[in-house]
C-alpha cells in the first residue's frame, strides 16, 4: 500500500495531520518547532498550523531518528545540515548556469 500526497507551499496541515503523516510524537514535533527545524505558519488559532511541505521534513526526521538512533537534538542538527547542503547546491547550480558557454 502506497500513500501519495501532493505537497505545495499554499496547503497547510494541523499538528495532528503532521503527527499522523510523519510517525513522530507531538512532543518531538514541538521540539523541532522550538529548534526552528519545522516552521509554524499560524499560532493564533490555539494549535499549530504548518505548511504541508513540512510533512517531508518530519518524515525525514523520523527516518533519521530511527535509522541512526538519534535524539531530537541530533536529528535537528542533521536536518539543518541537509537544508544547508540543498541551499549550497542551489547556489552552485545558479552560479554554473551563469558561466559563459562556448558554442560549437
Amino acid at each position: 500500500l502506497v500513500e501519495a500526497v501532493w505537497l505545495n507551499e499554499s496547503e497547510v496541515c494541523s499538528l495532528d495531520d503532521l503527527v499522523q503523516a510523519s510517525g513522530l510524537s507531538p512532543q518531538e514535533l514541538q521540539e523541532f518547532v522550538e529548534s526552528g527545524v519545522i516552521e509554524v505558519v499560524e499560532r493564533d488559532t490555539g494549535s499549530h498550523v504548518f505548511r504541508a511541505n513540512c510533512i517531508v521534513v518530519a518524515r525525514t526526521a523520523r527516518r533519521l531518528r530511527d535509522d541512526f538512533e538519534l535524539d531530537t537534538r541530533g536529528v535537528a542538527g542533521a536536518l539543518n545540515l541537509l537544508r544547508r547542503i540543498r541551499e549550497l547546491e542551489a547556489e552552485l547550480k545558479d552560479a554554473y548556469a551563469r558561466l559563459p558557454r562556448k558554442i560549437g
Side-chain angles (χ1 to χ4, degrees), residues 5-62:
V5 179
W6 186 263
L7 304 174
N8 62 46
E9 289 287 326
S10 63
E11 297 296 320
V12 294
C13 63
S14 68
L15 179 63
D16 291 337
D17 294 333
L18 201 52
V19 166
Q20 184 178 11
S22 70
L24 294 171
S25 70
Q27 294 79 16
E28 289 172 309
L29 288 168
Q30 183 60 39
E31 287 184 46
F32 293 134
V33 167
E34 290 171 4
S35 68
V37 172
I38 295 178
E39 295 181 32
V40 176
V41 177
E42 292 180 30
R43 295 176 192 254
D44 299 336
T45 60
S47 64
H48 294 335
V49 176
F50 305 90
R51 286 192 177 84
N53 60 2
C54 284
I55 291 172
V56 174
V57 176
R59 285 182 174 174
T60 302
R62 183 195 35 84

Side-chain angles (χ1 to χ4, degrees), residues 21 26 49 55 58 64 77 80 85:
V49 176
I55 291 172
L64 287 168
N80 282 326
I85 289 168

Side-chain angles (χ1 to χ4, degrees), residues 83-97:
R83 178 188 49 78
R84 185 65 182 138
I85 289 168
R86 281 191 304 273
E87 290 170 356
L88 291 170
E89 286 175 336
E91 288 178 27
L92 184 60
K93 183 179 177 182
D94 289 343
Y96 184 73

